[in-house]
Amino acid sequence: MTAGRTLPTQDDVLGYFDTLSNWGRWGDDDELGTLNHITDDVRLAAARAVRHGRSVSCAWEVAVPQEMERATTTCPCAADMPGAENMPSAFHADRRWGFSSERLGIAFHGNTVTHVDSPCHLFWDGKMYNGRSHSLVDAATGSTWGAVTAAANGIVTRGVLLDIARVRDVPWLEPGQGVFPEDLEEAERRQGVRVRPGDAVLLRTGYGRARHEAGAAVGFTQAGWHASCLAWLHERGVALIGADTPQDVQPSGYDAVLMPVHAVGLVAMGLWLLDNCDLELCATTAAELGQWDFQLAVAPVRFAGTSGSPVNPIATF
């Protein structure tokens, strides 16, 4: 899929750390990065993208307990639980109600769980977004810079689904196939939509369909954004990107940059990432309605000092 294309060289991609840098753009203390593109006017425009009132999830269901540590407590009658005798009399006098509760543990970074990456998730030469040192992330207390809590008010903006598998007329892109700026613009043309500043761009490679049919892939080869898309995303003022894979095409094609979309995006641009979306229902809904933009709502859990959060992105058409 690279025949006839002039691709950035490795030196070009390494140069993106400078040429696409947003360090200082919104002030030296900025932790929001590209989320600054989401202004009040952008959110209002996102609300106007709701024309049918239909909402769909863009997340995978998390298998419990396969993908999580789980401890469940069940108590058919709360009055019989240990310590009930020390509760107020109304508590142990009522013998009709019981309860269940859980303690869950999850490692959400990786290739299966839908999650958001905040800027402190990646370092380059020991630096995070806006030039902060990696030492601000501590093993015991987490990060004091660029953590997911910077997005505590949520990410609500206009989402645009670019269905590259549909553009190429294939069920899904094969592992290792990259998506290029020309693909993005062809998807815009065919779908009658244009990416604007402050938008979230969701990239469908079709891997979600493959995963539904055959299960999650193993290994480190996948379709996804090619590094050449980074300048396009920067120029368009994109606030957030998502994909039905962990973003970067693998292999990336650049020996010196394993994951250029992650590295340049998070560290240089402050570009927040939605990894491992399930975009199949979103795509079928968009095709049915003939509408490829929508209001996207992403609400990270306010885990103090963490580099991301499992999320359930909601697209409302």
Side-chain angles (χ1 to χ4, degrees), residues 21 30 34 44-45 98 114 127 141 146 162 175 180 215 239 243 245 269 271 276 278 285-286 291 295 302:
S21 174
D30 175 62
T34 54
L44 287 170
T114 307
K127 298 290 186 181
T141 60
L162 297 182
F180 303 92
T245 67
M269 297 168 63
L271 177 64
N276 311 316
D278 180 1
T285 302
Q291 178 184 336
Q295 183 186 64
R302 295 178 71 174

Side-chain angles (χ1 to χ4, degrees), residues 148-232:
V148 75
T149 44
N153 293 327
I155 305 168
V156 179
T157 191
R158 176 177 177 258
V160 176
L161 177 66
L162 297 182
D163 192 339
I164 306 306
R166 182 184 178 95
V167 166
R168 294 188 184 175
D169 195 26
V170 295
W172 53 74
L173 273 62
E174 295 297 332
Q177 289 186 330
V179 174
F180 303 92
E182 306 95 281
D183 295 309
L184 307 179
E185 293 179 1
E186 179 64 11
E188 286 183 314
R189 187 186 68 80
R190 292 197 188 189
Q191 297 171 190
V193 69
R194 182 174 174 82
V195 173
R196 304 190 303 236
D199 283 349
V201 180
L202 304 184
L203 184 73
R204 179 178 178 267
T205 70
Y207 170 65
R209 176 178 172 181
R211 179 172 166 181
H212 278 291
E213 294 183 4
V218 297
F220 202 58
T221 303
Q222 66 204 27
W225 302 94
H226 186 269
S228 57
C229 292
L230 287 164
W232 190 93

